[in-house]
Amino acid sequence: MTTSAAAALRLPPELTHRQATACLAQLLQSVGGAAPGNALVVDAAPLRAFDTSALAVLLEFRREALAAGLGFAVRGLPQALQGMAGLYGVDGLLNDAA
């Protein structure tokens, strides 16, 4: 898929079960405002405190973006979160953006 534009979205410094619903809601707002064919790029570099809820948020956002005909990528995924993704076998779904 060719992307004509990429919208960059930043995750907060903390993304645990407590913040997951609100964070996902904020991310999902960008899906409705993006034109099909564009890419939504999530900047995960700010993450400092997280649990597996961060993976759930990213995977649900990816699912919604792809369903809307948008590209999806994550950049700056902390190494510990990459490890969690690998443990659950979803690391290939959260590849770094080019």
Side-chain angles (χ1 to χ4, degrees):
M1 173 192 330
T2 307
T3 58
S4 55
L9 306 160
R10 292 177 61 91
L11 292 182
E14 183 174 344
L15 181 47
T16 63
H17 180 73
R18 185 177 307 145
Q19 299 86 12
T21 301
C23 182
L24 180 59
Q26 283 187 311
L27 290 173
L28 290 177
Q29 288 179 359
S30 63
V31 172
N38 286 352
L40 298 175
V41 179
V42 178
D43 181 3
L47 277 178
R48 297 292 175 254
F50 50 85
D51 60 17
T52 56
S53 297
L55 284 179
V57 166
L58 289 170
L59 291 170
E60 177 62 14
F61 182 56
R62 176 187 182 273
R63 188 185 71 75
E64 292 291 332
L66 296 178
L70 302 168
F72 170 85
V74 178
R75 68 174 177 228
L77 198 63
Q79 191 168 359
L81 196 53
Q82 289 177 23
M84 281 186 208
L87 182 65
Y88 289 106
V90 296
D91 49 331
L93 302 177
L94 303 175
N95 293 330
D96 267 359

